[in-house]
Amino acid sequence: MRGIWVAAGLVIALATGSAALAASDLGAQREADMKAIGGSLKTGFDMVQGKTDFDAAKAKAAMETIVAKATEFPTLFPAGSESADTKASPKVWTDKADFEAHAAKLASDAKAAAAAADGGLDAFKPAIGAVAANCKACHQTYRLSD
Amino acid sequence: MAALLVGAASFWLLTEPKPLAASVLPDRAGDPVKGELLFWAGGCASCHAAPGSKGDDRLKLAGGEPIVSPFGTFHAPNISPDKVHGIGNWSTLDFVNAMKRGLGPDGEQLYPAFPYTSYQRMPVADLVDLKAYLDTLPADATPNKAHELPFPFSIRRGVGLWKLLYLDGETFAPDPSKSDEINRGAYLVQGPGHCNECHTPRNAIGGLDRSRALAGAPDPSGKGTIPNITPGSSTMGDWTADDIANFLETGMTPDFDSVGGTMVEVQENMAKLPASDRAAIAAYLKDLPPIASAK
């Protein structure tokens, strides 16, 4: 009988432990996705601003990274993960559909920019501008001031 | 009883409004073109335009989003030229007294959620230009909402006491040891830009802690942190002046992170200034003494 209680206690301890771990993992994963998106934008804008030579394949790959991360990002905010990081606004959970729509728009604009990269620098330039405009459109409402 | 009377009389005298006289006004009409620049530098639309409005609707100053603070919730009033609900009946002197003395047209004390502690730094000439610009904007008949304040903050007259401590009445004076560019930046930051109102921490009664000017503060809404923008900042202390100017123009950090929260509106206002003004703000911020970010 005692063994059952010990086992139950262990299960609870493990479950609590893994939930705590999952929460901090989520926070780290959110930050990693945002950093990957920022890094990909920098790759693209360095070409647009003439800091590096335009390379269609690299530009396309950078935009595809944004598509992947923007698709994953809204899945990192399950119910109960409100405190996994310190910058997510409670509105992420109260206005979830709008939050997800922002992420979806980023993904679709990045997809369009990946396609535009094949058309050369002149086609890529406005397309990456449209991608970047998504950042503050979402951060204005869904990220706390920092 | 006598003590009570003395107390009441002192309160009345100490909270007496002290408006400026018409003699401070220049002998010329305001210039709305110059005023428009001050309008964007001052961020008027951020609080006074209807929440969520875009484009030309930003110019309809019908009263905006509630301003949540530790002292209660303020509702920025209608300052469109509507004669009933806005400030269409205000004289230029009324406007100057609101901006420099925190007083309404009948001498009533205005709450410092309206950042006149910064706007007081603006010379009267600039305020006359700003009023001339506001007069050109569309009138809107949205009625004002009452602030939601607990006692004792609900006693408007009490603001007079607060002003004795925190409203010094000084107009910005350039520092002759600094360049014109740095002085221009200092004026924009301390005066119309009212950057201190969020980036400088406050004490328990809402006074700015000038010893940590621009070194960051808790967000007044209770969630998040307003960053340190001195060279000692852990987030942007290593940005170059160009990085700062570029951030104010595009909203992007050197790492391609973006502006967020309430700073989005500020950045979009700053983007409307001439590039030389953004460069001046950057030069001034880089010239500040570095203050380490609070832990």
Side-chain angles (χ1 to χ4, degrees):
Chain A
M1 187 63 198
R2 189 161 168 241
I4 293 175
W5 287 111
V6 171
L10 267 175
V11 168
I12 291 168
L14 281 171
T16 325
S18 62
L21 189 69
S24 73
D25 277 357
L26 279 175
Q29 191 61 43
R30 292 172 194 168
E31 192 173 335
D33 277 4
M34 284 291 114
K35 286 223 155 90
I37 291 172
S40 303
L41 276 176
K42 182 164 164 51
T43 302
F45 272 103
D46 279 352
M47 295 179 198
V48 165
Q49 293 165 355
K51 290 178 188 164
T52 54
D53 290 335
F54 179 71
D55 177 329
K58 269 190 195 163
K60 196 179 181 68
M63 295 305 109
E64 281 167 352
T65 299
I66 297 179
V67 175
K69 299 299 176 186
T71 307
E72 178 188 71
F73 191 67
T75 68
L76 302 175
F77 298 82
S81 66
E82 283 83 346
S83 54
D85 76 278
T86 55
K87 293 181 183 173
S89 165
K91 288 182 185 159
V92 167
W93 289 271
T94 54
D95 299 339
K96 197 148 183 68
D98 183 61
F99 173 68
E100 288 171 352
H102 275 287
K105 182 166 179 303
L106 171 61
S108 78
D109 285 351
K111 202 171 176 186
D118 293 330
L121 184 57
D122 286 344
F124 183 60
K125 217 169 178 170
I128 191 175
V131 174
N134 287 291
C135 304
K136 72 179 173 186
C138 190
H139 287 161
Q140 179 167 23
T141 309
Y142 295 104
R143 187 175 68 184
L144 296 174
S145 46
D146 56 357
Chain B
M1 186 64 198
L4 204 67
L5 276 178
V6 170
S10 322
F11 177 80
W12 200 252
L13 287 173
L14 287 170
T15 57
E16 189 71 27
K18 299 169 189 74
L20 295 164
S23 56
V24 301
L25 297 177
D27 189 16
R28 66 166 174 85
D31 177 346
V33 176
K34 285 185 182 161
E36 181 178 4
L37 189 152
L38 293 162
F39 173 80
W40 296 118
C44 314
S46 301
C47 286
H48 292 282
S53 54
K54 297 273 173 216
D56 280 354
D57 281 346
R58 302 297 293 156
L59 300 176
K60 252 187 235 163
L61 304 178
E65 198 137 1
I67 301 164
V68 179
S69 85
F71 308 101
T73 299
F74 297 93
H75 295 280
N78 182 334
I79 58 163
S80 81
D82 188 87
K83 286 189 188 300
V84 178
H85 301 287
I87 62 168
N89 272 337
W90 287 27
S91 68
T92 299
L93 183 63
D94 290 338
F95 181 72
V96 168
N97 272 314
M99 296 286 281
K100 285 186 84 75
R101 288 289 185 268
L103 296 172
D106 299 320
E108 70 273 29
Q109 301 285 3
L110 303 178
Y111 287 102
F114 166 44
Y116 49 74
T117 39
S118 294
Y119 293 153
Q120 65 172 337
R121 307 278 177 246
M122 298 173 73
V124 171
D126 279 5
L127 296 172
V128 169
D129 292 339
L130 177 54
K131 173 69 161 60
Y133 176 70
L134 293 178
D135 287 344
T136 69
L137 298 179
D140 183 287
T142 305
N144 286 321
K145 278 190 215 146
H147 303 315
E148 296 149 52
L149 307 174
F151 180 82
F153 308 118
S154 50
I155 308 292
R156 207 174 251 284
R157 181 115 186 166
V159 173
L161 290 179
W162 189 89
K163 285 184 185 173
L164 293 176
L165 296 171
Y166 301 114
L167 192 71
D168 60 25
E170 300 290 330
T171 298
F172 175 78
D175 177 346
S177 74
K178 304 285 186 189
S179 69
D180 287 352
E181 184 181 48
I182 288 174
N183 274 310
R184 173 70 180 164
Y187 172 60
L188 290 168
V189 166
Q190 293 173 22
H194 65 281
C195 308
N196 282 294
E197 304 286 340
C198 288
H199 288 279
T200 298
R202 292 175 186 276
N203 61 24
I205 57 166
L208 293 173
D209 175 4
R210 302 267 176 199
S211 72
R212 290 192 57 79
L214 302 173
D219 191 303
S221 71
K223 291 203 172 67
T225 310
I226 312 277
N228 180 348
I229 55 171
T230 75
S233 170
S234 58
T235 52
M236 54 163 283
D238 59 349
W239 292 12
T240 65
D242 279 349
D243 290 338
I244 298 172
N246 183 62
F247 174 79
L248 293 174
E249 183 182 358
T250 67
M252 284 295 192
T253 74
D255 296 333
F256 282 84
D257 190 355
S258 91
V259 63
T262 45
M263 188 66 196
V264 171
E265 299 235 14
V266 178
Q267 179 267 316
E268 290 179 352
N269 291 332
M270 293 296 159
K272 293 189 160 59
L273 299 181
S276 59
D277 278 347
R278 285 186 296 272
I281 291 170
Y284 170 68
L285 293 180
K286 291 304 288 181
D287 188 59
L288 287 172
I291 301 177
S293 296
K295 288 284 167 263

